[in-house]
Amino acid sequence: DLERERPAPSRKLRTLIVSPVSSGMLETIAYNARRLTANRAGDTFKFALFHYHLQEGMALPTMEPDVGEALLPHVVYQHAGPGCKVDFWKHLTPEVASGFDYYWLADGDVRVDFFSWDLYRYFLLTVDPLVSQPSIVGWSPETRGTDHGELRFNGSQPMSMNLHLVEMQAPILSAKIWPTVLKRAEAVNGTSAWAVEGIWNAVAAISKVVGCSERPSILVHSPLRHANCFDLSVGGSRCVRNFLREDCFALSPDESAMLARDIGGSCEKGRDRLAWQGACVCNCSRDTWVQW
């Protein structure tokens, strides 16, 4: 029905799924790989895996035969060593992770039991959001899915919704903003990912204000199932869950120049780096960006 009302452009998508994983999560990642690579459109999925439960330099874990068969043909990068999410994202330089349309920063404990890529890709192709994410459900009706109520699936929402916040649990980021996200990741302390989450939400909001995107940030109600393992703090990592003052600088001249180059082509105002420079990144309200 959606295709009849508004046909999607016909092209194949390439997505890099980036996941921190413990050994117990590899079966989940393999399950996701099987489901996603069976999509009807022939879209490509590759994986970058960060084994945070291992010490730096340790051998990568040996996968069970069925897990390795499903997963290894699609893995383009693996790293062993403790760390936080930003530590892992910093590895995704152009030398490692180029040629993708989207970067899906998915936690290792989310599964695609109820998720339809064939539905989700329709919104990527017709809306072209800079930032998006699937809605979230808990592993069971009684368990935690996400702390953000607007991101929870309840069965009564429209298929897609405009968003103010896309959280770091499973964002799908357009390649147009990845250089800017990576630039911030390389500049921050690394123990907190909140300022990096802040930058993709800020960029999406400002792109609408300056007229570069009508729906830059959306939620698609094709839900992921969250196991809520909450174990990234094992293995000697030092991760914190708050903003760090030194990470929360406004959009820098370099970041703004990247945005003017990578997004500004779609709107006249956005081609001026000053349209982006100095904008709020952390603890920003909708009013902050509208006034900007």
Side-chain angles (χ1 to χ4, degrees):
D1 291 343
L2 289 172
E3 283 284 359
R4 284 197 296 269
E5 292 176 11
R6 183 182 178 186
S10 178
R11 68 184 181 96
K12 298 186 187 302
L13 299 175
R14 287 175 49 86
T15 300
L16 179 65
I17 300 177
V18 183
S19 296
V21 294
S22 65
S23 57
M25 295 175 183
L26 290 173
E27 187 173 340
T28 290
I29 303 297
Y31 173 85
N32 293 346
R34 291 188 196 99
R35 289 284 302 271
L36 292 169
T37 56
N39 70 88
R40 292 181 297 178
D43 293 339
T44 300
F45 291 89
K46 299 297 182 183
F47 292 80
L49 304 178
F50 295 89
H51 303 271
Y52 58 83
H53 63 295
L54 300 176
Q55 293 303 309
E56 198 80 31
M58 289 181 66
L60 296 171
T62 301
M63 298 183 187
E64 294 294 328
D66 59 330
V67 171
E69 181 181 354
L71 188 53
L72 286 176
H74 310 289
V75 172
V76 295
Y77 188 79
Q78 294 191 80
H79 173 79
C84 305
K85 290 183 179 183
V86 175
D87 296 321
F88 307 142
W89 299 340
K90 290 177 184 178
H91 287 250
L92 304 177
T93 61
E95 292 75 23
V96 171
S98 61
F100 294 98
D101 300 298
Y102 292 97
Y103 296 83
W104 191 350
L105 309 182
D107 285 357
D109 61 351
V110 295
R111 260 180 42 150
V112 296
D113 298 77
F114 312 123
F115 176 81
S116 167
W117 176 255
D118 296 310
L119 172 64
Y120 201 97
R121 75 183 305 275
Y122 172 82
F123 288 99
L124 293 179
L125 288 169
T126 56
V127 178
D128 192 25
L130 296 174
V131 183
S132 67
Q133 75 160 83
S135 55
I136 304 294
V137 295
W139 200 253
S140 67
E142 300 79 23
T143 56
R144 173 180 175 267
T146 172
D147 295 330
H148 302 283
E150 68 271 25
L151 304 180
R152 297 174 191 151
F153 178 78
N154 63 29
S156 64
Q157 305 106 319
M159 285 190 181
S160 73
M161 299 168 54
N162 296 337
L163 279 182
H164 172 60
L165 168 75
V166 167
E167 68 168 335
M168 66 184 77
Q169 186 181 94
I172 299 180
L173 308 180
S174 168
K176 296 174 187 176
I177 68 168
W178 182 252
T180 307
V181 171
L182 181 61
K183 184 74 173 176
R184 178 60 58 118
E186 291 172 342
V188 300
N189 175 288
T191 55
S192 168
W194 284 31
V196 183
E197 177 187 89
I199 203 167
W200 67 62
N201 285 307
V203 168
I206 298 166
S207 72
K208 181 174 176 62
V209 172
V210 301
C212 290
S213 180
E214 182 61 30
R215 298 186 65 193
S217 181
I218 65 169
L219 176 75
V220 178
H221 286 298
S222 180
L224 293 176
R225 189 182 183 197
H226 182 211
N228 196 34
C229 293
F230 205 67
D231 65 347
L232 193 57
S233 60
V234 304
S237 72
R238 63 212 189 286
C239 314
V240 298
R241 301 180 70 223
N242 52 50
F243 286 114
L244 299 181
R245 182 182 297 274
E246 63 268 31
D247 294 351
C248 284
F249 51 92
L251 278 174
S252 71
D254 285 346
E255 291 167 342
S256 301
M258 288 178 171
L259 294 169
R261 178 195 67 199
D262 298 334
I263 300 175
S266 59
C267 67
E268 183 177 353
K269 189 174 180 180
R271 288 194 286 273
D272 182 354
R273 68 174 175 82
L274 295 179
W276 309 89
Q277 188 172 321
C280 172
V281 168
C282 300
N283 278 327
C284 310
S285 69
R286 291 181 179 89
D287 290 341
T288 298
W289 288 317
V290 169
Q291 290 166 6
W292 183 256

